[in-house]
Every structure is written in structure tokens, then in C-alpha cells.
Amino acid sequence: MCEEAEIRTAKEAADHQLVLVFGRLHGAAGRLDYIIGRALEEQCGISHLVFEVLLILGRAGGPGLSMRAVAQEQVLTTGGVTRLVDRMAAAGLVERAEDPDDRRGRLVRLTPLGEETTVRASRVHLENIQRYFVQPLPVADRARFAEDLRILSHAARDVMPRLP
């Protein structure tokens, strides 16, 4: 699929069909992230990143997740996730608890406020996903598009290096 021999100038590179398609994907993702993230901030007082971590913890349920697991899910460094969790704990959204399987480990889990915030933010999020991500697509293409995104996401995940 790589067509290096066809690209001889910067103009040809910029106009290459695959470069254009990937640029559109990247641009759409960035704009949608901005639009949807801004709505979460304005209506729920949380960033899109905080919301994603709340969802990760909500999905995990039970006793919670290690910082490392949260970092890997969100593709953050452990230091980055520690600072983020510190801010979330200060806001009352999460708490740290002892890991029953590791005396030295700590788990992060939702507080009741974190649970409530996740539910409230999810309602806002779903409304905006419907409006800006689903409605613009032809009805007949939506299921295939969702499946193609799943395939791309899993393929990219599978080649990502694991955090140490």
C-alpha cells in the first residue's frame, strides 16, 4: 500500500489520497474532541480526559484499577496519570484504596460523586456524540463505520508499545 515511488514533490505528498484521508480522520477527531470536550467542561465541569478516566474506572468496577492500568488504558505515563488522579481525588471524584492482592499497591476507584458525575457527563456526552458524530453520517453507513473504527482502534492498540 506504500507508494513511495509515486511521491517526488511536497505537493504530490500533500495531495496523496491516503495522506488526505488520514488528515481528514485526524482533523475530524481533533475537532470532535474539541466540540465534545468543551461541552463536558461547560456542562459538567470536567475535561474530556477526566471523563475518559471516569469511564475506565466505571468499566472496571469493583475495587478499582492500579495507576499503571489506568495509564495503559489512556496511553499516559504513570507520572501523568498520578498527577491527573491527584486532581480527581482533590475534586472528590476518585479515591485510592489498598490493593487486596498487593500489600504495596494502591488502586483507584470511583467515589459516589465520581459515579454521579460519570452518569451525568455520559448523558451530555451521548447527546453530543449523536449530534456531531452519528447524525452527519448516512444511516446505511453507520454500522459499517463503527465496525471499521473498532478494527482500526484494535489494530493500533496491538502495535502500541506497553508502558513499563
Side-chain angles (χ1 to χ4, degrees), residues 48-105:
H48 198 175
L49 180 57
V50 166
F51 177 63
E52 290 296 328
V53 172
L54 291 172
L55 290 176
I56 289 166
L57 294 172
R59 191 174 299 119
L65 289 175
S66 69
M67 296 287 233
R68 184 170 192 249
V70 174
Q72 286 178 335
E73 282 289 319
Q74 216 26 67
V75 193
L76 292 169
T77 64
T78 51
V81 83
T82 298
R83 288 187 295 278
L84 179 62
V85 168
D86 285 346
R87 290 193 308 272
M88 293 174 71
L93 300 171
V94 299
E95 62 187 3
R96 290 181 175 88
E98 291 186 19
D99 185 341
D101 299 325
D102 179 0
R103 289 183 304 162
R104 296 174 296 149

Side-chain angles (χ1 to χ4, degrees), residues 16 43 47 65 86 119:
H16 191 283
Q43 296 177 42
S47 70
L65 289 175
D86 285 346
V119 170

Side-chain angles (χ1 to χ4, degrees), residues 6-70:
E6 293 182 24
I7 298 174
R8 291 177 293 281
T9 68
K11 173 85 170 117
E12 288 176 354
D15 290 340
H16 191 283
Q17 188 62 32
L18 290 177
V19 172
L20 289 170
V21 168
F22 188 79
R24 288 182 191 123
L25 173 66
H26 192 261
R31 287 186 286 278
L32 287 168
D33 185 53
Y34 176 82
I35 292 165
I36 291 172
R38 186 165 176 189
L40 286 170
E41 288 178 14
E42 290 174 352
Q43 296 177 42
C44 303
I46 60 171
S47 70
H48 198 175
L49 180 57
V50 166
F51 177 63
E52 290 296 328
V53 172
L54 291 172
L55 290 176
I56 289 166
L57 294 172
R59 191 174 299 119
L65 289 175
S66 69
M67 296 287 233
R68 184 170 192 249
V70 174

